[in-house]
Amino acid sequence: LETANANRPATTPEPRRLFPGHVAPSSCLLPLPRRILAMQATAPSAQSSLPKTTMPTKICCIGAGYVGGPTSSVIALKAGAHVVVTVVDLNEKRIAAWNSDDLPIYEPGLDEIVKQCRGTNLFFSTDVKTAIREADLIFVSVNTPTKSYGLGKGCAADVKYIESCARSIAEAAEASKIVIEKSTVPSGTAQTLKA
């Protein structure tokens, strides 16, 4: 065993193989202490010139359904009073229900969370354009039912509501926004939103 190791150069360890035929990248071949030193040498310093990021303080959630309402309520609770969360929906009855004591959705403990945050840093509205314009971060939490027409009928997700949200954001936004898909969507939908 010692003679086999003596023939191998000391600086080139055996490549790690995760499965037959796999060869690890060359960065994984360095002995651990040298690899850590190399990472430290290339890491940005504490005095980095990178711009400092700020946390969003105004959040808009488009869609007051089973995903948007509860998610936004918990964000409002956990983020604190300095973060304002506005849930918007075109369905006036749904928004009225969120603003009442009889919530449209049951989740254990949700009614207490909504009662605690509503009117303080959690708001429900039908004014989609204003909420988009004022928000730093936008969650898109709209329905993606199975297509009932065209290619993919009966099996593919219908992303027309996602596309509608993208158009609404593009029309109402006056500055750059962070947009997060919070709906069950097919792979590649982010490209649709980006376009």
Side-chain angles (χ1 to χ4, degrees):
L1 183 65
E2 287 181 24
T3 53
N5 287 336
N7 295 336
R8 189 175 298 139
T11 58
T12 310
E14 173 98 16
R16 291 188 298 163
R17 299 184 191 280
L18 300 177
F19 50 86
H22 172 261
V23 177
S26 60
S27 63
C28 295
L29 301 179
L30 291 173
L32 185 60
R34 284 181 52 203
R35 193 171 354 140
I36 292 172
L37 289 173
M39 288 170 31
Q40 288 175 345
T42 59
S45 68
Q47 303 297 326
S48 175
S49 62
L50 296 174
K52 297 197 186 251
T53 58
T54 57
M55 295 298 290
T57 57
K58 292 185 179 181
I59 298 173
C60 167
C61 178
I62 303 174
Y66 289 96
V67 174
T71 300
S72 298
S73 300
V74 173
I75 290 171
L77 176 71
K78 297 295 184 179
H82 68 283
V83 175
V84 176
V85 181
T86 304
V87 183
V88 293
D89 201 298
L90 296 176
N91 185 329
E92 292 179 6
K93 289 181 181 178
R94 184 175 294 152
I95 292 299
W98 279 106
N99 282 319
S100 73
D101 289 333
D102 188 24
L103 300 182
I105 294 167
Y106 173 77
E107 288 285 337
L110 180 63
D111 53 344
E112 290 89 12
I113 293 171
V114 171
K115 286 175 185 173
Q116 180 181 341
C117 299
R118 188 175 49 210
T120 305
N121 69 330
L122 176 64
F123 301 92
F124 297 92
S125 172
T126 57
D127 190 356
V128 178
K129 289 184 179 184
T130 300
I132 289 171
R133 190 171 31 262
E134 294 177 352
D136 304 316
L137 184 145
I138 301 168
F139 284 99
V140 177
S141 303
V142 294
N143 193 14
T144 52
T146 303
K147 285 184 78 171
S148 59
Y149 59 90
L151 187 62
K153 178 181 176 180
C155 60
D158 189 348
V159 294
K160 67 182 175 189
Y161 300 116
I162 297 279
E163 292 171 356
S164 175
C165 287
R167 285 187 192 92
S168 296
I169 293 167
E171 290 170 9
E174 296 173 348
S176 295
K177 306 291 180 184
I178 299 168
V179 179
I180 300 170
E181 302 171 307
K182 188 75 174 94
S183 300
T184 304
V185 294
S187 190
T189 304
Q191 293 305 317
T192 301
L193 279 173
K194 188 176 178 182

